[in-house]
Amino acid sequence: MRPFTSTIFAEITALATRTGAINLGQGFPDTDGPAVILDAASAAIHGGQNQYPPGPGVPVLRAAIARHQQRFYGLDVDPGSEVLVTAGATEAIAATILALCEPGDEVVTFDPVYDSYAASIALAGAVKRTVTLRWPDFGLDEAELRAAFGPRTRVVLLNTPHNPTGKVFDRAELELIGALAVEHDAVVVTDEVYEHQVYDDAVHVPITTLPGMAERTVTVSSAGKTFSVTGWKVGWLHGPAELVAAARAVKQFLTFVSAGPLQPAVATGLGLGDDFYAGLANGLQAKRDLLVDGLRAAGFAVSVPRGTYFVVADAAPLGFADGVELCQRLPELIGVAAVPVSVFHDDPKAAASLVRFAFCKRDDVLHDAVERLSRLAKLV
């Protein structure tokens, strides 16, 4: 684990705190989630639900997860044997990788890749096989994808909507990934934490809904991004009972259980009406547009995201060839913090001048950040 002793998010957040910069680096909202969810958590705490919950998760949450999957995607999920509640999506992914991979097994991932994926693969003693999504559209190269698969392929670790690029994999791309997983008898582990943050005409298609994929897919999501409660760390996975049981066997020796009184509150959130989910996407799309316009006006080239709450921008037009250097200078230069995309890549040269900004902030904060970014061209 020596290569994973610190994260870029911790480094940039510390830098933002020290300088008082607006932190558009780490992806957390600056407002609380719906009051009904917070009130439900408070009621559970004061109602005596403060001891160990059941290992697989409290029944009311597992049932709510199953209803959510049926409501939005038409999936029939058994809450008793096919759902596992975890300490965030991070634990769900780690437990699944550790459960499925032996040393030397290979895991196909898509660069730029969220940093916990590489750490989980390393913990399992597995080998990461990377497929690069390239600026500006982050399209999937079929030849590169096929070349990543081989006789040792055990898992495909997919993230859609995709952090950090904001890409939403389309049906044709998912069908190709699924066909290769079938051909190589691999399990698809799909991180869908941004499933309700999709914009314009993009559609989130869970790969488990495609023909022949349900029996080989573990689907991961969480409450943090959808309900603006990232500190609660309540996530889940669902899939075939035997794969869920394997992940549960590992999970019990990671955290055992977590967030007992918060789990019923998340169940309340999953049952919120369509107006909440539509409002979430519409509100974030407006924030995206505000930040995209501001970055362009400041001189960045921008890839407009169709999902998540991140924007990737190219600093090369401003004369910055090194995104790491720019992100180290930005907080003191103009009082805004961002993260370099190169840290998400095996090959830093694939994204040398790219920078990621988060737009899950209050409008007044985003307006302030845009005003500060407008000064950048004059200072370089």
Side-chain angles (χ1 to χ4, degrees):
M1 293 302 291
R2 287 192 181 98
F4 306 101
T5 53
S6 67
T7 72
I8 188 65
F9 308 110
E11 293 172 15
I12 294 298
T13 295
L15 182 59
T17 300
R18 180 172 61 81
T19 60
I22 297 172
N23 189 357
L24 302 187
Q26 194 167 5
F28 59 86
D30 58 1
T31 56
D32 281 332
V36 65
I37 301 176
L38 307 182
D39 291 344
S42 179
I45 290 170
H46 292 288
Q49 298 187 50
N50 298 300
Q51 308 311 318
Y52 296 130
V58 298
V60 68
L61 177 54
R62 285 183 280 136
I65 292 164
R67 287 194 299 272
H68 174 277
Q69 296 305 92
Q70 172 60 236
R71 170 185 172 188
F72 287 99
Y73 310 120
L75 294 168
D76 292 321
V77 177
D78 179 359
S81 64
E82 297 180 342
V83 176
L84 175 65
V85 178
T86 59
T90 303
E91 187 191 36
I93 292 163
T96 305
I97 295 297
L98 288 167
L100 298 181
C101 292
E102 299 290 339
D105 284 345
E106 296 181 354
V107 180
V108 176
T109 63
F110 299 87
D111 263 9
V113 68
Y114 185 63
D115 62 350
S116 83
Y117 297 1
S120 296
I121 294 166
L123 281 169
V127 178
K128 181 157 65 82
R129 296 299 184 199
T130 299
V131 180
T132 304
L133 306 174
R134 301 182 188 279
W135 170 274
D137 62 354
F138 302 108
L140 186 59
D141 183 277
E142 180 174 347
E144 188 174 352
L145 177 65
R146 290 185 180 276
F149 283 79
R152 297 302 302 269
T153 302
R154 177 62 176 143
V155 166
V156 182
L157 184 46
L158 175 67
N159 175 208
T160 184
H162 182 265
N163 173 20
T165 68
K167 172 185 175 64
V168 179
F169 284 75
D170 63 31
R171 183 176 293 271
E173 291 172 323
L174 296 172
E175 288 173 345
L176 176 59
I177 293 167
L180 288 167
V182 170
E183 179 182 338
H184 293 271
D185 195 24
V187 174
V188 177
V189 179
T190 175
D191 176 356
E192 302 181 2
V193 299
Y194 297 99
E195 59 186 314
H196 292 296
Q197 296 161 3
V198 176
Y199 317 121
D200 304 321
D201 60 348
V203 177
H204 170 57
V205 179
I207 196 169
T208 193
T209 63
L210 300 184
M213 292 307 298
E215 59 265 34
R216 63 175 64 251
T217 300
V218 175
T219 301
V220 174
S221 194
S222 78
K225 302 301 190 292
T226 299
F227 303 120
S228 297
V229 289
T230 58
W232 286 14
K233 294 301 290 182
V234 178
W236 54 85
L237 60 86
H238 76 81
E242 64 275 14
L243 297 182
V244 172
R248 186 170 63 245
V250 174
K251 183 257 189 303
Q252 66 185 336
F253 297 111
L254 295 177
T255 59
F256 180 49
V257 294
S258 60
L262 304 181
Q263 291 188 32
V266 173
T268 298
L270 289 172
L272 290 175
D274 293 347
D275 56 338
F276 165 77
Y277 290 97
L280 173 68
N282 291 337
L284 282 169
Q285 182 171 323
K287 293 176 185 294
R288 177 203 67 176
D289 293 345
L290 192 166
L291 183 56
V292 165
D293 289 346
L295 288 167
R296 284 175 169 163
F300 290 88
V302 179
S303 175
V304 180
R306 305 182 77 201
T308 76
Y309 45 45
F310 303 109
V311 174
V312 174
D314 188 358
L318 285 162
F320 287 96
D322 186 343
V324 174
E325 179 189 0
L326 174 61
C327 289
Q328 291 170 338
R329 292 182 59 191
L330 271 180
E332 292 185 347
L333 199 60
I334 59 169
V336 175
V339 296
V341 176
S342 60
V343 301
F344 299 96
H345 274 271
D346 280 351
D347 177 12
K349 295 178 182 177
S353 58
L354 302 185
V355 178
R356 190 195 76 173
F357 297 86
F359 55 84
C360 50
K361 310 296 180 180
R362 300 190 315 273
D363 285 357
D364 62 304
V365 172
L366 291 175
H367 280 291
D368 191 1
V370 164
E371 193 280 326
R372 297 182 186 196
L373 286 163
S374 69
R375 309 172 196 165
L376 186 58
K378 300 175 183 177
L379 298 175
V380 297

